[in-house]
Amino acid sequence: MNRIGSYTFSIEAGDVDIFGKYPLPVLVRKMLDCAGYHADERGWGLRHLNAGNCSWVLARAAIELENFPEIYDQIVIQTWVEDLNKHFSTRNFSFQNQKGEILGYARTVWSMIDLNTRKAVDLTVVSDISNHKVDKECPIDKPGKIGIVSCEPEYFHDVKYSDLDINGHVNTCKYVEHIINLFSSGIEQIVVLKRFDVTFLSESKLGDRLHFHRATASDHETQIEITGHNSRSICRAKITFKK
Amino acid sequence: MNRIGSYTFSIEAGDVDIFGKYPLPVLVRKMLDCAGYHADERGWGLRHLNAGNCSWVLARAAIELENFPEIYDQIVIQTWVEDLNKHFSTRNFSFQNQKGEILGYARTVWSMIDLNTRKAVDLTVVSDISNHKVDKECPIDKPGKIGIVSCEPEYFHDVKYSDLDINGHVNTCKYVEHIINLFSSGIEQIVVLKRFDVTFLSESKLGDRLHFHRATASDHETQIEITGHNSRSICRAKITFKK
């Protein structure tokens, strides 16, 4: 089996945003679906792990696109494992359109937990992932460290049914959706979004109140932090816009 | 070409809700995707209509399922045109799992508008839709009339980026998502949801404040109305739970 997974799909009219572009939260969802297909096909997907009471946990991600896919595009997402140690596995992605043009790349960092103890599991003992490592170019920076955003929250969201995944936690893509929605009052900025870095620090559940803090670092860089009860940090993101 | 469109897809781990079931808003999105495939394949999909500055508008829908699809199910959505007159086209759907068991059905009623004048277009002059009518069983009631819900709003939502479709209006599936989220504090009710009726009355745009009114008609029936500025009615829904 090829070490690189390659998945093609079409972008439908119902998928795109007001600009006719594929929205970042939906692209992240699709990217994670492709990670799932790739891992499933090779025997270490969620359906195998859950049988052993383990699960993948996304720790950090960076996604950087020169151009977002558009309505009726056919896109190809490729994904592969770059590296692996006891604590983390790094999985990369490339995004390509029907003309074969590279739209961008993503880098993700995963750990694995035991669903009973909620503690990390040694990744090197899980099947043969390390035999699937690929030395393929991924010419974007690694997910950056993102500091605390100390200003007051500007928006609140109480976690609802549609935010939850099968583990009862807020879904990764929903964090991305709520973060991007902070730009709704200056919506034209979303069209020039170039790079999204995110770090997940703790979980949130049904009924939790999420506090959204935003700091504009420069014309083309904004940091966002989501905190919960007692200022517990849940998630931090950095958005870089085209200059 | 077969008059009935048939589309198979898998339900991934990232698609399901806290109960491991495929959520209604996501099923509605998939159902509308299938309507799009079917119409596109036959020459009267959005991509053809938009070229002539027209668009389909969903007026009413009813979806009724004995069982919702579950994680890792392979489901088949079939869709066909039941009838057509100058003003409306009715399109039905069936949902089936990998064992060939029928999970349920849906009925939808569509009109077509001219995107410049925003006025209705005579459907009988659009290509050959009436040649595609199928006399196939769809054993659920038609979308019901839903009255005004006169109680005070219990929830407000300001329309955001992720709510919008390519026409700049709130996406059908997002209305369904916000309506179902009203049950977040009694989330176990969502598992016994059986039927969802919805009528779309007017559009809403970025920054509009949506007011959600809910009236519990009985143990197993709830009505919801979404209103906008000056109590303008945007959307009405009726949810029927299993007894």
Side-chain angles (χ1 to χ4, degrees):
Chain A
M1 183 176 282
N2 197 323
R3 291 181 178 201
I4 300 171
S6 194
Y7 309 95
T8 302
F9 58 95
S10 299
I11 292 175
E12 304 301 326
D15 293 329
V16 296
D17 67 10
I18 187 171
F19 306 110
K21 301 269 188 182
Y22 205 52
L24 178 71
V26 185
L27 186 65
V28 170
R29 152 64 59 92
K30 208 72 193 182
M31 176 178 112
L32 298 180
D33 280 350
C34 292
Y37 302 143
H38 181 268
D40 269 347
E41 288 158 10
R42 286 156 186 82
W44 19 273
L46 272 186
R47 65 176 90 195
H48 309 92
L49 293 181
N50 286 350
N53 251 312
C54 288
S55 190
W56 285 110
V57 175
L58 181 60
R60 291 191 294 283
I63 175 165
E64 184 169 335
L65 276 88
E66 272 310 311
N67 292 296
F68 274 75
E70 296 186 19
I71 186 169
Y72 304 134
D73 271 352
Q74 269 226 324
I75 74 166
V76 180
I77 298 185
Q78 291 200 326
T79 181
W80 64 96
V81 174
E82 183 189 53
D83 206 0
L84 183 83
N85 62 33
K86 278 189 177 184
H87 308 294
F88 294 108
S89 162
T90 55
R91 170 186 285 286
N92 297 342
F93 300 83
S94 70
F95 306 94
Q96 210 172 308
N97 67 12
Q98 63 274 20
K99 296 178 197 152
E101 294 162 347
I102 293 283
L103 303 172
Y105 295 90
R107 291 178 170 275
T108 57
V109 180
W110 302 75
S111 64
M112 197 180 286
I113 58 160
D114 182 306
L115 286 172
N116 294 325
T117 64
R118 313 299 295 174
K119 295 222 169 110
V121 170
D122 183 344
L123 274 173
T124 55
V125 303
V126 177
S127 79
D128 62 342
I129 303 181
S130 57
N131 295 333
H132 288 81
K133 289 199 296 184
V134 180
D135 185 22
K136 180 176 153 68
E137 192 192 26
C138 187
I140 63 165
D141 289 341
K142 292 185 178 174
K145 291 245 176 201
I146 309 167
I148 293 171
V149 178
S150 52
C151 50
E152 288 300 303
E154 64 175 78
Y155 179 69
F156 302 92
H157 174 76
D158 296 322
V159 172
K160 296 187 173 59
Y161 165 74
S162 71
D163 291 314
L164 303 175
D165 63 19
I166 190 171
N167 295 317
H169 302 128
V170 174
N171 190 309
T172 302
C173 312
K174 281 290 176 179
Y175 287 121
V176 180
E177 183 179 330
H178 295 310
I179 289 170
I180 297 298
N181 276 345
L182 294 178
F183 296 88
S184 296
S185 59
I187 201 170
E188 59 292 335
Q189 259 203 297
I190 296 175
V191 192
V192 292
L193 188 153
K194 184 182 176 184
R195 181 177 163 104
F196 186 84
D197 288 82
V198 62
T199 302
F200 298 100
L201 296 156
S202 63
E203 300 165 330
S204 51
K205 292 184 179 176
L206 186 64
D208 285 354
R209 169 155 287 198
L210 307 181
H211 304 61
F212 291 76
H213 312 253
R214 170 161 54 166
T216 303
S218 72
D219 275 359
H220 53 90
E221 198 183 293
T222 298
Q223 288 193 14
I224 286 146
E225 181 168 15
I226 306 177
T227 61
H229 189 58
N230 284 335
S231 303
R232 176 175 58 94
S233 189
I234 294 170
C235 165
R236 291 182 196 150
K238 188 172 76 180
I239 299 178
T240 314
F241 299 98
K242 288 180 184 166
K243 287 182 193 175
Chain B
M1 183 176 281
N2 196 323
R3 291 182 179 202
I4 301 172
S6 194
Y7 309 95
T8 303
F9 58 96
S10 299
I11 293 175
E12 304 301 326
D15 292 329
V16 297
D17 67 11
I18 187 171
F19 307 109
K21 301 269 188 180
Y22 204 54
L24 179 71
V26 185
L27 186 66
V28 170
R29 152 64 59 92
K30 207 73 191 179
M31 177 177 110
L32 298 180
D33 280 350
C34 292
Y37 303 143
H38 181 268
D40 269 347
E41 288 159 10
R42 286 156 186 82
W44 20 273
L46 272 186
R47 64 176 90 194
H48 308 93
L49 294 181
N50 286 349
N53 250 311
C54 288
S55 191
W56 286 109
V57 175
L58 181 60
R60 291 191 295 282
I63 175 164
E64 184 170 333
L65 277 87
E66 272 310 311
N67 292 296
F68 273 74
E70 296 184 20
I71 185 168
Y72 305 134
D73 272 353
Q74 269 227 325
I75 74 167
V76 180
I77 298 184
Q78 290 201 327
T79 181
W80 63 95
V81 173
E82 182 189 53
D83 206 1
L84 184 84
N85 63 32
K86 279 189 177 183
H87 309 293
F88 293 107
S89 162
T90 55
R91 170 186 285 286
N92 297 343
F93 300 84
S94 71
F95 305 94
Q96 210 172 308
N97 67 12
Q98 64 274 21
K99 296 179 197 153
E101 295 162 348
I102 292 282
L103 303 172
Y105 295 90
R107 291 179 169 274
T108 57
V109 180
W110 301 77
S111 64
M112 195 179 287
I113 58 160
D114 182 307
L115 285 171
N116 294 326
T117 65
R118 313 297 298 174
K119 294 221 169 113
V121 170
D122 183 344
L123 274 173
T124 55
V125 303
V126 177
S127 78
D128 63 342
I129 303 180
S130 57
N131 294 333
H132 289 82
K133 289 198 297 183
V134 180
D135 186 21
K136 180 176 155 68
E137 193 192 23
C138 187
I140 63 165
D141 289 341
K142 292 186 177 173
K145 290 247 174 198
I146 309 166
I148 294 171
V149 178
S150 53
C151 50
E152 289 299 304
E154 63 175 79
Y155 179 68
F156 302 92
H157 174 76
D158 296 320
V159 172
K160 297 188 172 58
Y161 165 73
S162 72
D163 291 314
L164 302 176
D165 64 18
I166 190 171
N167 295 317
H169 302 128
V170 174
N171 190 307
T172 302
C173 312
K174 281 290 175 177
Y175 287 121
V176 180
E177 182 178 332
H178 295 310
I179 289 170
I180 297 298
N181 276 346
L182 294 178
F183 296 88
S184 296
S185 60
I187 200 170
E188 60 292 335
Q189 259 203 297
I190 296 175
V191 192
V192 292
L193 189 153
K194 184 182 176 182
R195 181 177 162 105
F196 186 84
D197 289 81
V198 62
T199 302
F200 297 100
L201 296 157
S202 62
E203 301 166 329
S204 51
K205 293 185 178 173
L206 186 65
D208 285 355
R209 169 155 287 199
L210 307 181
H211 304 61
F212 291 76
H213 312 253
R214 169 160 56 166
T216 304
S218 73
D219 276 359
H220 53 90
E221 198 183 293
T222 298
Q223 289 194 13
I224 286 144
E225 181 168 15
I226 306 176
T227 60
H229 188 58
N230 284 335
S231 304
R232 175 175 58 93
S233 190
I234 293 169
C235 167
R236 291 182 196 150
K238 188 172 75 179
I239 300 178
T240 313
F241 299 99
K242 286 180 185 166
K243 287 182 191 176

